Amino acid sequence: MKYLRYLLIALPLMVYFRWSDPESGWAFLTAALSILPLAGYMGHATEELAEHMGPKLGGFLNATFGNATELIIALFALKAGHLEVVKASIIGSIIGNILLVLGLSVLVGGLLHGVQRFCTETAKINATTLLLAVIAMLVPSLFMHYHSAVDGASVKLSVGVSVILLLVYAAVLYFGFRHAGARAGALTGSGKDVQQGPQQGNHGEGWSKRKALAVLVISTIAVALASEVLVGSLEHTVATLGWPEAFIGIILIPIIGNAAEHSSAVLMAAKNQIEVATEIAIGSSIQIALFVAPLLVLAGLIFGQPMTMVFNEFELVAMVLSVWIAKSISKDGETNWLEGLMLLATYAIVAIGFAFA
Amino acid sequence: MKYLRYLLIALPLMVYFRWSDPESGWAFLTAALSILPLAGYMGHATEELAEHMGPKLGGFLNATFGNATELIIALFALKAGHLEVVKASIIGSIIGNILLVLGLSVLVGGLLHGVQRFCTETAKINATTLLLAVIAMLVPSLFMHYHSAVDGASVKLSVGVSVILLLVYAAVLYFGFRHAGARAGALTGSGKDVQQGPQQGNHGEGWSKRKALAVLVISTIAVALASEVLVGSLEHTVATLGWPEAFIGIILIPIIGNAAEHSSAVLMAAKNQIEVATEIAIGSSIQIALFVAPLLVLAGLIFGQPMTMVFNEFELVAMVLSVWIAKSISKDGETNWLEGLMLLATYAIVAIGFAFA
Amino acid sequence: MKYLRYLLIALPLMVYFRWSDPESGWAFLTAALSILPLAGYMGHATEELAEHMGPKLGGFLNATFGNATELIIALFALKAGHLEVVKASIIGSIIGNILLVLGLSVLVGGLLHGVQRFCTETAKINATTLLLAVIAMLVPSLFMHYHSAVDGASVKLSVGVSVILLLVYAAVLYFGFRHAGARAGALTGSGKDVQQGPQQGNHGEGWSKRKALAVLVISTIAVALASEVLVGSLEHTVATLGWPEAFIGIILIPIIGNAAEHSSAVLMAAKNQIEVATEIAIGSSIQIALFVAPLLVLAGLIFGQPMTMVFNEFELVAMVLSVWIAKSISKDGETNWLEGLMLLATYAIVAIGFAFA
């Protein structure tokens, strides 16, 4: 986080390229680089603001803004009609959080601290929620693949599934607030603060409500600007670099949108707080699946860009297997470096697959 | 159960429609409504009779007649050549028991009693048995999808798999009798009675052997009659309502055939006996997969309606994922309302998928 | 093992058929029969030699030569261009170890000793490793099935995945040496010796280093010779018997190559050492997936027989489900005869599927 802030220098460069050469690879690169620290500020401001608003409203804020960067990028990409990129970035965020972030956290934590332990109860709720999300995302795809129905039905089905997912998300949040009490669980994000409490060093003395709100507003506007540039230069960059759009959606955008969050999960693992790291990684995946993805489907209706939840088999199988291996590793509440390495190896194999596709 | 008996009024109406307008939607509706209480009487009479026959023979009776209603409906549908409806109803019964019945039980139980606990040992055997059943049902389908073989081979393969499944069913029953002793396990159904023992209120003072036998015979004949009407009016009703046959097979028939059983599972959960509820739901799924389905394949040979175990991918994936989420929820021996809600949400999503197909 | 040695009589017969009628079914049969005891001698000599070389080098030797017989047969088949047989034998070895060997061990052990228990920690690492291997083997296949890319890309992808798998294999070995200490884990094979220690009866007094080396060299040469005959007579035998090549690859070759290992796993289970039996079965599967399969892909490059890791769906689904049911059975660290029977029933169902294909 501390070092990421130097990347803010990319922001003015991006503004320059936006006007001089908006479709160039340079615009894409500088936009991508600016988003890294901006997303960090957004996340931090959200947490600070949440602290001023009490556990319930604050937890709700965390649960809503936790993946705001991905949501903003995806909204711009959706508006510009890059439906495949949006869908790929949903899958990529889920896989990236499960395999890359969790893998790095478990590897680093395991190397520094040997076997690390965490509560299996939260892990189980998270695993089941993730599984439900995966099932929900499979249904419209299967429907399309095996029934070759008209596209309109597929959109209707996706909207129906999205509404159910948003209701489940509300129930999961309510369950977290109600039952988990102080250690408010993965989605509300307040777990991070509670447990970061003793090492407030990197928090300073806490921001005032006014400062937190100001930083949140400014960084959100800046992220939106950068997202617009990123999406605007996407097509040209894809053509120049020769990378497939799916690769950018699956691998690149999730890393850009989550870098700040990723680094804080790994940092937590390095401090022997593997439980917080796990909650950030899995909680973020759940949020993407149960909140961001359905929201994008509904936003697609408004934007006149009807988006379905129909993914290709490779994406779906990669997602199902990621969830499976994560469940397999987390279910006993113990992790070691070999398990982290295995998650990363799985990510590498899947990434190679997408790169070749 | 108590309230279901008022639906018996549909029985004379059905008889009327059977002669006046046998293919109408009214015949279908009254047949469906009559089956609800009749299935309840059949199930209850089976249990009462089982009590008079000692644990072994009684358990065997329960294990054989436990899903008699579905079996009878399916036999009539099979004879009439509605192979797709029969196959869909097999999948639908398995999914419905796992997602709808277990989901409702866990939700109601969790809302009334907080976290509920049950023995993980039985749960594990059940989960593994269910998994084997799923694998068995996948093999003929995969064989057909990827080898596009002649249909005769597919029937032969299904018969071979059916014989193996029936042998496994026998072994599972034997294991239940031998090892589980008094609390005889999911399939023999005697678990229900043992644990219902203290609240015999809804049992009355127990029926005499003669009464139990008489009720069993009469209700079985009535169910057979109603099944015949139901199947006879199926085609016309499908055409009138515009619902796909698969939807009727997957969603409607399993609910009709299992309503009595379903309500008793939910009732048990409401009485904080989640273990009994789980055994009814999962045990019924296992019985369908290991006993009813193979029996139907063999019956198909006799009826000259060679039925395969080839299901479509959507059905198979829905079944695999249902088993997965049920295993994920049951493996720690604890349930809460959120898990019940998730099972129900999964059912809703799958049902929407089938409705659109 | 003791009785297998009488099969050595097939060796001179094979040499005779090799010169008189090298493509006949007799050459195939005698070659297959000779491999059974030869593989046993190879395995035993490897273990004896390993004992003379200290735990680390010895463990490495076990980990490298543990599946030498399959590797040699596969190399000859690869060189002769029987790519489908090679790939089928990889899948068949993995499935066979998980379902047939583990199933027989659990069944026999359960019948003789009731419920058997083993350490869940090793089981978990093994399960996760196996899962990673399965994911790795799925990726190139999915890539090919859904992207219909040029074959060159598929080979490149397979090579990339193979390199990652070999690195993971090295990490798994290192983890085993480092963390598991004395009870060195499934892959290094020394677990067998440690626990066989007290019943050295069947080991004699241990072989000298010279004797172990001599037996290893001679039996390896003999296995190579027999493998050449086996592969050379393969095509003719397939044509004569009318069995599909896939069936020979999936079912027959793995049984031939593993018979000695299989019998020692079942023997261990019969001696109430289910943990050793499990480690032999699962460890062997992992070794095939993480070491033998990638090695064969790389060897294909050298032989000018570019082999991919692209398997058909039936093989992949069978493998995924085998791993799933094995995980389901092993995760609680307890086994009983019913679980063994279920593994065997699954094997029978899968074998029927392959036989019909």
Side-chain angles (χ1 to χ4, degrees):
Chain A
M1 180 66 216
K2 229 163 57 185
Y3 303 103
L4 275 179
R5 74 170 64 154
Y6 297 118
L7 288 174
L8 275 183
I9 202 161
L11 192 59
L13 292 173
M14 180 201 79
V15 174
Y16 167 76
F17 286 117
R18 167 148 181 23
W19 301 116
S20 69
D21 194 3
E23 295 195 343
S24 70
W26 288 110
F28 185 84
L29 183 70
T30 49
L33 290 180
S34 336
I35 290 175
L36 299 179
L38 289 172
Y41 280 108
M42 252 177 94
H44 190 59
T46 306
E47 281 173 36
E48 291 287 344
L49 196 59
E51 224 154 282
H52 287 282
M53 296 172 78
K56 295 217 170 171
L57 213 59
F60 183 72
L61 193 74
N62 263 320
T64 317
F65 273 78
N67 282 289
T69 312
E70 282 111 312
L71 186 58
I72 293 171
I73 300 176
L75 282 175
F76 276 96
L78 182 64
K79 223 179 156 186
H82 294 291
L83 297 184
E84 286 313 307
V85 173
V86 173
K87 290 199 276 180
S89 76
I90 292 172
I91 299 283
S93 287
I94 295 173
I95 293 176
N97 273 301
I98 294 176
L99 298 180
L100 182 60
V101 183
L102 189 59
L104 260 179
S105 302
V106 169
L107 177 64
V108 168
L111 288 177
L112 294 177
H113 305 285
V115 172
Q116 295 187 298
R117 287 181 183 78
F118 56 90
C119 168
T120 53
E121 209 183 312
T122 320
K124 188 206 164 196
I125 287 282
N126 285 342
T128 305
T129 311
L130 209 49
L131 193 48
L132 165 73
V134 165
I135 292 175
M137 296 176 80
L138 279 170
V139 166
S141 307
L142 286 168
F143 169 73
M144 276 304 288
H145 289 305
Y146 300 116
H147 296 284
S148 60
V150 284
D151 208 55
S154 167
V155 170
K156 264 185 227 163
L157 179 57
S158 299
V159 170
V161 169
S162 296
V163 171
I164 295 177
L165 287 182
L166 288 173
L167 294 176
V168 171
Y169 187 62
V172 170
L173 287 186
Y174 177 77
F175 185 86
F177 290 137
R178 183 82 187 281
H179 295 268
R183 41 176 300 286
L187 289 168
T188 55
S190 51
K192 300 178 215 173
D193 299 315
V194 170
Q195 305 211 25
Q196 280 181 1
Q199 310 113 348
Q200 285 266 346
N202 56 340
H203 267 217
E205 297 94 40
W207 294 355
S208 70
K209 194 174 173 179
R210 182 188 297 258
K211 181 179 172 186
L213 195 64
V215 173
L216 182 58
V217 169
I218 293 171
S219 58
T220 303
I221 292 172
V223 163
L225 183 69
S227 298
E228 199 214 339
V229 175
L230 191 81
V231 168
S233 56
L234 186 69
E235 227 159 302
H236 193 75
T237 308
V238 165
T240 310
L241 292 176
W243 293 349
E245 270 204 16
F247 181 73
I248 291 192
I250 292 268
I251 305 293
L252 224 60
I253 289 184
I255 291 181
I256 296 169
N258 285 305
E261 209 166 6
H262 290 188
S263 57
S264 82
V266 178
L267 219 71
M268 282 295 124
K271 286 178 183 162
N272 205 9
Q273 306 215 352
I274 193 70
E275 180 150 349
V276 186
T278 309
E279 286 188 1
I280 294 174
I282 303 293
S284 183
S285 285
I286 290 174
Q287 207 174 48
I288 298 279
L290 293 189
F291 180 66
V292 174
L295 220 61
L296 287 169
V297 169
L298 299 184
L301 283 185
I302 297 167
F303 289 173
Q305 295 279 6
M307 198 182 97
T308 64
M309 279 204 179
V310 176
F311 304 95
N312 71 47
E313 270 95 344
F314 193 68
E315 293 170 342
L316 292 173
V317 173
M319 192 172 62
V320 168
L321 294 173
S322 303
V323 171
W324 198 12
I325 200 165
K327 273 168 64 78
S328 176
I329 281 172
S330 71
K331 79 177 158 219
D332 68 344
E334 282 188 14
T335 55
N336 58 55
W337 64 262
L338 182 60
E339 295 176 332
L341 193 73
M342 284 185 187
L343 288 171
L344 291 176
T346 309
Y347 186 73
I349 289 168
V350 170
I352 291 180
F354 281 114
F356 268 91
Chain B
M1 182 63 218
K2 230 164 54 185
Y3 302 103
L4 275 178
R5 75 170 63 154
Y6 297 117
L7 288 174
L8 275 182
I9 202 160
L11 193 59
L13 292 174
M14 181 200 80
V15 175
Y16 167 76
F17 286 116
R18 168 148 180 23
W19 301 118
S20 68
D21 194 4
E23 295 194 342
S24 69
W26 288 108
F28 186 84
L29 183 70
T30 49
L33 290 180
S34 338
I35 290 175
L36 299 179
L38 290 172
Y41 280 108
M42 252 178 96
H44 190 61
T46 307
E47 281 173 37
E48 292 286 345
L49 196 60
E51 225 153 281
H52 286 283
M53 297 172 77
K56 296 214 172 175
L57 213 60
F60 183 73
L61 193 74
N62 264 320
T64 317
F65 272 78
N67 282 288
T69 311
E70 282 110 312
L71 187 58
I72 293 172
I73 300 176
L75 282 174
F76 276 96
L78 182 63
K79 223 179 156 186
H82 294 292
L83 297 184
E84 287 313 308
V85 173
V86 173
K87 290 200 276 179
S89 76
I90 293 172
I91 300 282
S93 287
I94 296 173
I95 293 176
N97 273 301
I98 294 176
L99 298 180
L100 183 60
V101 183
L102 189 58
L104 260 178
S105 303
V106 170
L107 177 65
V108 169
L111 287 177
L112 294 177
H113 305 285
V115 173
Q116 293 188 299
R117 288 181 182 78
F118 55 90
C119 167
T120 53
E121 209 182 311
T122 320
K124 188 204 162 197
I125 287 282
N126 285 343
T128 305
T129 311
L130 209 49
L131 194 48
L132 166 72
V134 165
I135 292 174
M137 296 176 80
L138 280 169
V139 166
S141 307
L142 286 168
F143 170 73
M144 277 303 289
H145 289 304
Y146 300 115
H147 297 283
S148 59
V150 284
D151 208 56
S154 168
V155 171
K156 265 185 227 162
L157 179 58
S158 299
V159 170
V161 168
S162 297
V163 171
I164 295 176
L165 287 183
L166 288 173
L167 293 175
V168 171
Y169 188 63
V172 170
L173 287 186
Y174 177 77
F175 185 86
F177 290 137
R178 183 83 186 281
H179 295 268
R183 39 178 300 290
L187 289 168
T188 56
S190 50
K192 300 177 217 174
D193 299 315
V194 169
Q195 304 210 26
Q196 281 181 357
Q199 308 112 347
Q200 287 266 345
N202 56 338
H203 267 216
E205 296 93 42
W207 294 355
S208 70
K209 194 174 173 179
R210 182 188 298 260
K211 179 178 176 189
L213 196 64
V215 173
L216 183 57
V217 169
I218 294 171
S219 57
T220 304
I221 292 172
V223 164
L225 182 69
S227 298
E228 200 213 338
V229 175
L230 191 79
V231 169
S233 56
L234 186 68
E235 227 159 301
H236 192 75
T237 308
V238 164
T240 310
L241 292 177
W243 293 348
E245 270 204 17
F247 182 74
I248 291 190
I250 291 267
I251 305 293
L252 225 60
I253 289 184
I255 290 181
I256 296 169
N258 284 305
E261 211 166 5
H262 291 188
S263 58
S264 82
V266 178
L267 220 70
M268 282 294 123
K271 288 178 182 162
N272 205 9
Q273 306 215 354
I274 193 70
E275 180 150 349
V276 187
T278 309
E279 285 187 3
I280 294 175
I282 304 292
S284 183
S285 285
I286 291 174
Q287 206 175 49
I288 298 279
L290 294 188
F291 181 66
V292 174
L295 219 61
L296 288 170
V297 169
L298 299 184
L301 284 184
I302 297 167
F303 290 173
Q305 295 278 7
M307 198 181 96
T308 64
M309 279 204 179
V310 176
F311 303 95
N312 71 48
E313 270 96 342
F314 193 68
E315 293 170 342
L316 292 172
V317 173
M319 192 172 62
V320 168
L321 294 174
S322 303
V323 171
W324 198 11
I325 201 165
K327 273 169 64 78
S328 177
I329 280 173
S330 71
K331 79 178 159 218
D332 68 345
E334 282 188 13
T335 55
N336 57 54
W337 65 262
L338 182 60
E339 295 175 332
L341 193 73
M342 284 184 187
L343 288 171
L344 290 176
T346 309
Y347 187 73
I349 289 168
V350 169
I352 291 180
F354 281 115
F356 269 91
Chain C
M1 180 67 216
K2 231 164 53 184
Y3 303 103
L4 275 179
R5 75 171 61 154
Y6 297 118
L7 287 174
L8 276 182
I9 202 158
L11 193 59
L13 293 174
M14 180 200 78
V15 174
Y16 167 76
F17 287 116
R18 163 132 179 43
W19 301 118
S20 67
D21 193 4
E23 294 195 341
S24 70
W26 288 110
F28 185 84
L29 183 69
T30 50
L33 290 179
S34 337
I35 290 175
L36 299 178
L38 290 171
Y41 280 108
M42 253 179 94
H44 191 60
T46 306
E47 280 173 37
E48 291 288 344
L49 196 60
E51 226 154 279
H52 287 282
M53 296 172 78
K56 297 215 172 176
L57 215 58
F60 183 73
L61 193 74
N62 263 321
T64 317
F65 273 77
N67 282 289
T69 311
E70 282 111 313
L71 186 58
I72 293 171
I73 300 176
L75 283 174
F76 276 96
L78 182 63
K79 223 179 156 186
H82 293 293
L83 297 184
E84 287 313 307
V85 173
V86 173
K87 290 200 276 181
S89 77
I90 292 172
I91 300 283
S93 287
I94 296 173
I95 293 176
N97 273 301
I98 294 176
L99 298 181
L100 183 60
V101 183
L102 190 58
L104 260 179
S105 302
V106 170
L107 177 65
V108 169
L111 287 176
L112 294 176
H113 304 287
V115 173
Q116 294 187 299
R117 288 183 181 75
F118 56 91
C119 168
T120 53
E121 211 182 310
T122 320
K124 188 204 162 198
I125 287 282
N126 285 343
T128 306
T129 312
L130 209 49
L131 193 49
L132 167 73
V134 166
I135 292 174
M137 296 177 79
L138 279 170
V139 166
S141 307
L142 286 169
F143 169 73
M144 278 303 289
H145 289 304
Y146 300 115
H147 297 284
S148 60
V150 285
D151 207 55
S154 168
V155 171
K156 266 186 226 162
L157 179 57
S158 299
V159 170
V161 168
S162 297
V163 171
I164 294 176
L165 287 183
L166 288 173
L167 293 176
V168 171
Y169 188 62
V172 171
L173 286 186
Y174 177 77
F175 185 87
F177 289 137
R178 182 81 187 280
H179 295 267
R183 40 177 301 287
L187 289 168
T188 55
S190 50
K192 300 176 217 173
D193 299 316
V194 170
Q195 305 210 27
Q196 281 181 358
Q199 309 113 346
Q200 285 268 344
N202 56 336
H203 267 217
E205 296 93 41
W207 293 356
S208 70
K209 194 174 172 179
R210 183 187 298 259
K211 180 178 174 190
L213 196 63
V215 172
L216 182 59
V217 169
I218 293 171
S219 57
T220 304
I221 292 172
V223 164
L225 182 68
S227 298
E228 200 212 340
V229 175
L230 190 79
V231 169
S233 56
L234 185 68
E235 227 158 303
H236 193 75
T237 308
V238 165
T240 310
L241 291 177
W243 293 349
E245 271 206 16
F247 181 73
I248 292 191
I250 291 266
I251 305 293
L252 224 60
I253 290 185
I255 290 181
I256 297 169
N258 284 306
E261 211 166 4
H262 290 187
S263 57
S264 82
V266 178
L267 220 70
M268 281 295 124
K271 286 178 183 161
N272 205 9
Q273 306 215 352
I274 193 70
E275 180 150 350
V276 187
T278 309
E279 285 187 1
I280 295 174
I282 304 292
S284 183
S285 285
I286 291 173
Q287 207 174 47
I288 299 279
L290 293 188
F291 181 66
V292 173
L295 219 61
L296 287 170
V297 169
L298 299 183
L301 284 185
I302 298 167
F303 289 173
Q305 295 278 7
M307 197 181 98
T308 64
M309 278 204 180
V310 177
F311 303 95
N312 70 49
E313 269 96 344
F314 193 68
E315 293 170 342
L316 292 173
V317 173
M319 191 173 62
V320 168
L321 294 174
S322 303
V323 171
W324 198 13
I325 201 166
K327 273 169 64 77
S328 176
I329 280 173
S330 72
K331 79 177 159 218
D332 67 344
E334 282 188 14
T335 55
N336 57 55
W337 65 263
L338 182 60
E339 295 175 334
L341 193 74
M342 284 185 188
L343 289 171
L344 291 176
T346 309
Y347 186 74
I349 289 168
V350 170
I352 291 181
F354 281 114
F356 268 90

